[in-house]
Amino acid sequence: MADEWKAPEAETEEREARNSWRLLEKTLLANVQEHRRTRRWGIFFKLLTFVYLFGILALFTPLMDMDKAASRNVSHTALVEVRGMIADQESASADNIVKGLREAFKDSKTKAVVMRINSPGGSPVQAGYVYDEIRRLRAEYPAIKLYAVITDLGASGAYYIASAADEIYADKASLVGSIGVTAAGYGFVGTMEKLGVERRAYTSGEHKAFLDPFSPEKPDETRFWQGVLDVTHKQFIAMVKQGRGERLKDKEHPELFSGLVWSGEQAKELGLVDGLGSASYVAREIVGEKELVDFTVQESPLDRFSKRVGASVAEHLAMWMGFQGPQLR
């Protein structure tokens, strides 16, 4: 009789357990669905925010351009920025600097051009392109003067560019000069020997593996490379002398071309710069037109990102190979 009562009780407990598991299963499933729904809505709102921001950017960019165009309807001092490394694919590439300078000189309301520089230098080729274009523009527009203004740093290739200007100004604490050439790399021969790694390089030319970082240095190749750097240095010196002329006190101070750097105050005494002052000072006191209008080429965020990625990959590949070309910095 007791067993007959226990059977229904067992069935009831088993049924209640099944119901509990079903309820738990439904709860977990509902949580998963809710999580997926929340995630989908999160993605949707992120995309919506992304589209909204780009819409605002697209809306305000033309307005900013209209603003600039309106400010160009009055007499002004044109401004072109040279900021960062002077190299291809960088914001301070020759293409960008030259384009800004051409637009600045071409504008009928431009009274003078100020090239504001804050750069450690960079490629001698890029700096040379800008130097030559400045000389050409000065000849084409003789009534418009170009002033180079160095802020924090105007070294090496940046000073190369500045020396093409009519006059150079800097802050008393600016760093100016570094007229020299450098090329750096790494040598991994000792490391490879410790690791027991053997270098195998197959070439069809005697010097095709020139300055290979995984092979011992060859005295004749080192001498040859030093000759290349010396020639580039001489070209640099010649351009600076051409630009600065008699203002440069290099006869009394031959160390000007040694690669050293000086403060703006010292640079004035050495003839590296003509005066001390900022871009606004030059516009107001030297040019006589305090209104500054920026002609610097502005790249889109996407352009900057793609260029930086490409330049970064190339630079890291060159560093990994242990080789870097001549640099004015």
Side-chain angles (χ1 to χ4, degrees), residues 90-155:
E90 294 289 338
S91 60
S93 67
D95 285 342
N96 287 344
I97 298 170
V98 166
K99 184 177 180 181
L101 289 172
R102 285 175 180 171
E103 292 296 319
F105 272 94
K106 187 172 67 175
D107 195 288
S108 61
K109 299 297 182 181
T110 294
K111 190 172 180 180
V113 179
V114 169
M115 186 170 56
R116 186 161 57 192
I117 298 171
N118 186 11
S119 168
S123 164
V125 176
Q126 297 287 307
Y129 286 160
V130 178
Y131 183 100
D132 293 341
E133 183 62 16
I134 290 173
R135 302 282 293 187
R136 188 191 71 80
L137 288 169
R138 285 177 58 196
E140 185 177 349
Y141 300 91
I144 300 176
K145 280 196 170 186
L146 172 65
Y147 299 91
V149 176
I150 295 170
T151 57
D152 294 275
L153 182 62

Side-chain angles (χ1 to χ4, degrees), residues 198-214:
E198 180 185 356
R199 172 64 167 165
R200 295 177 181 176
Y202 307 101
T203 65
S204 58
E206 183 183 354
H207 299 290
K208 189 61 181 176
F210 174 62
L211 298 181
D212 177 20
F214 303 104

Side-chain angles (χ1 to χ4, degrees), residues 15-16 24 42 53 101 110 120 127 134 139 178 226 264 276 309 329:
R15 188 165 51 252
E16 289 176 352
L24 181 60
L53 291 174
L101 289 172
T110 294
I134 290 173
S178 188
Q226 186 60 53
L276 303 177
V309 169
R329 63 178 185 182

Side-chain angles (χ1 to χ4, degrees), residues 54 89-91 96 99 297-311:
F54 266 83
Q89 304 301 319
E90 294 289 338
S91 60
N96 287 344
K99 184 177 180 181
V297 172
Q298 303 292 343
E299 296 179 318
S300 70
L302 183 60
D303 288 338
R304 287 198 299 270
F305 175 76
S306 60
K307 284 185 177 182
R308 285 186 180 279
V309 169

Side-chain angles (χ1 to χ4, degrees), residues 58-78:
L59 177 65
F60 277 96
T61 299
L63 293 176
M64 290 169 65
D65 291 339
M66 288 171 61
D67 231 10
K68 288 181 180 178
S71 65
R72 292 177 187 177
N73 290 328
V74 296
S75 179
H76 56 254
T77 299

Side-chain angles (χ1 to χ4, degrees), residues 232-307:
T232 306
H233 190 204
K234 287 177 183 177
Q235 293 169 350
F236 187 2
I237 294 171
M239 294 300 99
V240 170
K241 284 184 174 181
Q242 182 186 59
R244 298 299 295 162
E246 296 300 320
R247 292 171 292 183
L248 198 66
K249 299 178 182 178
D250 56 301
K251 293 178 181 177
E252 303 95 316
H253 301 279
E255 69 274 12
L256 282 177
F257 306 130
S258 67
L260 290 174
V261 66
W262 290 270
S263 71
E265 189 172 358
Q266 292 171 313
K268 185 175 182 297
E269 297 298 321
L270 296 168
L272 290 168
V273 304
D274 299 286
L276 303 177
S278 63
S280 57
Y281 167 82
V282 170
R284 184 180 62 253
E285 304 296 336
I286 308 301
V287 179
E289 182 53 71
K290 66 178 182 179
E291 183 69 26
L292 280 166
V293 176
D294 194 352
F295 283 80
T296 308
V297 172
Q298 303 292 343
E299 296 179 318
S300 70
L302 183 60
D303 288 338
R304 287 198 299 270
F305 175 76
S306 60
K307 284 185 177 182

